[in-house]
Amino acid sequence: MPIPEFVAALRSRVGTDLLWMPGVSAVVVDDDGRVLLGQRADSGQWAVISGILEPGEDPAVGLAREVLEETGVEVVVEALVSVTVTEPVEYPNGDRSQYLDLAFVCRPVSPAAVAAAHVADDESLAVGWFAPDALPADVARSSVQRLGHATDWLAKPSEGPFFVR
């Protein structure tokens, strides 16, 4: 997976030191209640579609971009469902990052958008739609949490997004 230019520029200054990064995650739900997952190329695990924002990029805009770039699915970002912080991550090259993750519920713009799902970049090995009760066995723990937050929000949107209080 290519490192965004702005991250490479930061890394040239801070080396492998911990970077605090803005992340976004999409719980994309189709009209049949299925969720869109990608099998990550780096870990082999299935996960909700996610990415980091470019400097100055609005979260919903950046998330819709990420979903389209990774899966070919055009989405409408509907609602913020959680604000969480990941554990620090150490990559094979020694770089360390920690992410403020904003998770959103999204909907495909049309049935054609649902049908368009495919591996659209080198970040995924596979892409697919799954019923919530028939998820792949190897779903990333962070994605299980985000799916849970989305399920809770969909059941009771008036309670607002999840965040640690």
Side-chain angles (χ1 to χ4, degrees), residues 11 18-19 21 86-89 91 95-99:
R11 287 285 176 210
L18 185 71
L19 288 181
M21 303 290 290
T86 69
E87 294 294 322
V89 177
Y91 295 97
D95 289 352
R96 294 179 298 126
S97 298
Q98 189 168 20
Y99 299 91

Side-chain angles (χ1 to χ4, degrees), residues 50-134:
S50 61
I52 58 174
L53 297 172
E54 298 288 333
E57 189 173 36
D58 284 312
V61 172
L63 184 57
R65 173 188 54 76
E66 287 284 346
V67 174
L68 185 61
E69 286 177 358
E70 294 182 22
T71 70
V73 177
E74 187 177 356
V75 298
V76 173
V77 179
E78 290 193 335
L80 177 68
V81 297
S82 69
V83 178
T84 58
V85 175
T86 69
E87 294 294 322
V89 177
E90 185 166 338
Y91 295 97
N93 67 357
D95 289 352
R96 294 179 298 126
S97 298
Q98 189 168 20
Y99 299 91
L100 171 67
D101 186 76
L102 306 173
F104 294 85
V105 166
C106 305
R107 301 273 181 192
V109 298
S110 67
V114 173
H118 67 281
V119 174
D121 66 10
D122 63 352
E123 293 186 38
S124 299
L125 301 172
V127 171
W129 293 98
F130 298 91
D133 61 352

Side-chain angles (χ1 to χ4, degrees), residues 6-55:
F6 79 94
V7 175
L10 284 171
R11 287 285 176 210
S12 73
R13 292 174 178 83
V14 301
T16 61
D17 287 354
L18 185 71
L19 288 181
W20 175 249
M21 303 290 290
V24 287
S25 296
V27 178
V28 182
V29 182
D30 73 3
D31 289 342
D32 295 326
R34 299 177 305 166
V35 295
L36 179 64
L37 299 177
Q39 186 180 26
R40 295 181 56 96
D42 60 353
S43 69
Q45 290 186 302
W46 288 88
V48 298
I49 308 306
S50 61
I52 58 174
L53 297 172
E54 298 288 333

